[in-house]
Amino acid sequence: RMGWWYLKTEAKQASNVHAAATALRQTLSIDADTAIAMKERRYDEDEMKDRTTELDLVKRFIELGGHHDDIHSGECKSEMEATRRHAFRMATERVGRWDSETALAILSAAGMEDAEVQMDETSRELRHVRKYAISLREHVVRCLEAAEGLYDAFIADSDHAVQISRSRREFWAAISTVFSGRVSSNEFGAGIASPSTKVLSSVGIDVNDRGGWLGHEDSMSSRRRRCGQSARRYLKKRDFQANILISRILKLLKDYERRLEGIESFVYMHCVGIQVEKHCSKARAKALSAWDKRTEISTAINVATKKKIPKLVSELKIKLDNLPQVSHTTVIRAKESHLTSKTLKSELHKLANRRFGRAQEVSTERVIAIMSLWAKHEESVAIEEVKALGEAIQEVELSVQSADLNLAFDKFTKVQCDEDVRPDGSRISPVRGRSL
């Protein structure tokens, strides 16, 4: 009875899982896989184009920092060249997935000294997007860790045994011993007498394993059923292709994590564009201010020289020497750099917005793909489990003989008769017209 109830409970759970998986599959509309695949292909094609555009923009940002190489010494020039190579290498390795280090390297290569990624200069919406992406990626990382833990449970160890399969076999060996009813002297410690098999048999307990839960071969094997063998077939169905399912889910989760990095990259691209344009604007204003001051002082020196005021000329020359060495060419270059930075900022933001728009379009595809894959697997495996459990339950029912039923009925009748007798020996007559 224990074995029958156990298998019936398992069958009910497997049936519930199958029903839930079928409902989930229908809700997710897995039949739309073709449409999703077409969207994915378009996404990949557009992404390949934007990768080329992104690397070209990074080169132009790096060239923007090279406009001021003529004011640096030879040692500084070599350091700047190394900084630019490092920035381009990082941008190539993390194309479409900028992080704080990549953004910092590009800012330094663009000519910003003591560069620092400042999120405060971005809009409130951008900061909210970044916060959302980081939080979501943390959840995905936890899902990845859980999936990797499950995957490890299906990997064979040094003894070529799968951990979870071994645990299931050990559990089933123990519970089969209970279902068989056989008494082993090894189960009882020293000084503890094993129960009498005759006494157990007299009360209807099978101690010969007629159901064949333990699967032994002896003189009674021809009369035994194959309950253990049927139940073990069910166990094999439970883990069918589970390792393949988990490996595919891992792949989808890792791809989803990369896409979340792309959402963070959207924020860093905006940040780089804003800060470079702001830096070039300040450099242009500073150069223009210094040029205006030098022009004013030079004009004053010419006037003082014509009026033959040597003391004033000396003072003005000292002031002129203390000012930054700015020429008209420097002002023009600063203006060109600022205009170029505005163009780069606009193009970089358009690229980031384009990627973000695509990410919004396919934001749920990976989640749907993971859930659909899981639902399909559970639906197919659960129905096989129900079939295997049905065969095992039928085998258990066939192992019950008519003598067992007669003995149980006799005991039930005797118990009922005992309950209908009063202590003084008289019988209790049933009360008519009332139900208990």
Side-chain angles (χ1 to χ4, degrees):
R1 286 197 298 272
M2 284 191 296
W4 185 83
W5 272 112
Y6 173 79
L7 295 174
K8 286 288 284 185
T9 303
E10 289 286 297
K12 183 179 180 181
Q13 291 177 348
S15 179
N16 290 339
V17 169
H18 178 261
T22 303
L24 179 60
R25 176 183 60 79
Q26 294 172 350
T27 302
L28 295 174
S29 301
I30 297 179
D31 295 335
D33 281 345
T34 305
I36 293 175
M38 290 176 62
K39 188 183 289 186
E40 290 287 336
R41 283 197 296 272
R42 192 182 75 248
Y43 178 95
D44 293 337
E45 290 171 2
D46 294 342
E47 183 61 27
M48 288 300 296
K49 294 178 183 177
D50 284 343
R51 283 170 178 255
T52 305
T53 304
E54 178 184 330
L55 292 177
D56 179 63
L57 283 172
V58 171
K59 286 181 181 178
R60 290 164 65 188
F61 270 108
I62 292 173
E63 290 171 359
L64 185 66
H67 289 177
H68 307 287
D69 280 353
D70 53 347
I71 63 174
H72 296 296
S73 62
E75 185 177 350
C76 289
K77 285 182 180 179
S78 61
E79 290 180 1
M80 286 299 299
E81 189 62 31
T83 301
R84 290 167 195 152
R85 286 197 298 270
H86 172 67
F88 189 74
R89 184 172 62 253
M90 289 194 67
T92 305
E93 291 173 356
R94 296 192 59 86
V95 59
R97 298 181 297 115
W98 289 15
D99 57 6
S100 58
E101 294 182 1
T102 307
L104 189 62
I106 294 174
L107 289 175
S108 300
M112 292 182 62
E113 298 179 359
D114 301 326
E116 182 180 355
V117 180
Q118 298 176 354
M119 288 296 169
D120 294 339
E121 295 185 3
T122 59
S123 64
R124 179 174 174 271
E125 289 77 12
L126 287 176
R127 291 194 296 272
H128 180 73
V129 168
R130 177 172 176 266
K131 182 180 178 181
Y132 168 77
I134 291 174
S135 174
L136 188 56
R137 191 147 67 92
E138 288 175 354
H139 291 298
V140 173
V141 168
R142 283 199 288 270
C143 291
L144 270 169
E145 291 173 353
E148 287 170 352
L150 286 173
Y151 186 75
D152 292 339
F154 284 93
I155 296 177
D157 56 19
S158 57
D159 298 329
H160 303 287
V162 178
Q163 178 183 340
I164 194 166
S165 298
R166 185 176 63 247
S167 299
R168 289 195 198 280
R169 287 196 301 270
E170 291 173 355
F171 165 76
W172 191 252
I175 202 170
S176 293
T177 303
V178 175
F179 293 159
S180 70
R182 295 199 67 173
V183 179
S184 174
S185 58
N186 297 330
E187 298 177 8
F188 303 95
I192 302 177
S194 60
S196 171
T197 55
K198 291 183 179 180
V199 174
L200 295 175
S201 299
S202 66
V203 293
I205 297 177
D206 172 29
V207 294
N208 295 317
D209 189 20
R210 284 201 311 269
W213 290 100
L214 300 179
H216 14 221
E217 296 291 338
D218 53 24
S219 58
M220 290 185 59
S221 58
S222 61
R223 289 181 289 170
R224 287 195 178 98
R225 301 302 303 181
R226 297 289 184 266
C227 296
Q229 185 178 352
S230 299
R232 280 190 289 274
R233 281 199 295 269
Y234 153 65
L235 288 181
K236 290 180 180 179
K237 297 292 184 183
R238 291 199 66 177
D239 297 333
F240 181 67
Q241 293 187 341
N243 56 334
I244 298 176
L245 168 70
I246 297 172
S247 63
R248 293 178 66 184
I249 288 177
L250 275 171
K251 184 179 179 181
L252 290 171
L253 282 171
K254 288 176 181 177
D255 184 70
Y256 188 38
E257 185 183 24
R258 288 176 64 88
R259 295 199 176 186
L260 290 176
E261 289 178 352
I263 296 176
E264 289 185 60
S265 176
F266 162 76
V267 179
Y268 284 113
M269 284 183 173
H270 273 269
C271 189
V272 168
I274 292 170
Q275 287 189 231
V276 170
E277 191 272 335
K278 187 176 181 180
H279 167 75
C280 291
S281 176
K282 288 182 178 180
R284 178 186 179 183
K286 184 178 179 182
L288 185 61
S289 175
W291 170 250
D292 289 341
K293 287 182 179 179
R294 290 187 69 87
T295 302
E296 291 175 359
I297 293 175
S298 296
T299 303
I301 288 174
N302 292 333
V303 173
T305 301
K306 288 180 181 180
K307 293 185 177 182
K308 297 181 181 181
I309 310 176
K311 185 177 180 180
L312 179 60
V313 170
S314 300
E315 291 177 356
L316 291 173
K317 284 184 177 181
I318 293 173
K319 287 184 178 181
L320 186 64
D321 293 338
N322 291 333
L323 289 175
Q325 297 296 323
V326 179
S327 63
H328 185 254
T329 303
T330 306
V331 175
I332 292 175
R333 285 183 178 177
K335 178 182 177 182
E336 291 174 350
S337 296
H338 181 219
L339 295 176
T340 302
S341 70
K342 292 178 75 172
T343 303
L344 290 174
K345 171 189 172 183
S346 175
E347 293 182 12
L348 187 63
H349 286 187
K350 286 180 181 178
L351 172 64
N353 292 338
R354 223 168 28 241
R355 278 205 173 115
F356 188 70
R358 283 201 304 273
Q360 286 180 314
E361 289 179 4
V362 297
S363 59
T364 58
E365 262 66 9
R366 279 295 171 267
V367 178
I368 292 175
I370 292 170
M371 295 178 69
S372 301
L373 180 66
W374 197 351
K376 277 183 173 180
H377 175 83
E378 291 292 345
E379 186 178 15
S380 61
V381 171
I383 194 64
E384 293 299 323
E385 289 181 13
V386 171
K387 292 177 181 177
L389 284 164
E391 295 173 0
I393 291 169
Q394 185 180 12
E395 193 70 21
V396 173
E397 291 173 348
L398 290 173
S399 69
V400 179
Q401 300 177 356
S402 59
D404 301 324
L405 298 176
N406 292 335
L407 181 60
F409 182 76
D410 292 342
K411 288 180 183 178
F412 177 77
T413 305
K414 184 177 182 302
V415 170
Q416 286 295 103
C417 291
D418 292 342
E419 289 179 353
D420 292 342
V421 177
R422 290 194 180 95
D424 58 1
S426 61
R427 288 188 172 275
I428 302 174
S429 59
V431 179
R432 297 184 179 181
R434 297 182 63 184
S435 59
L436 298 179

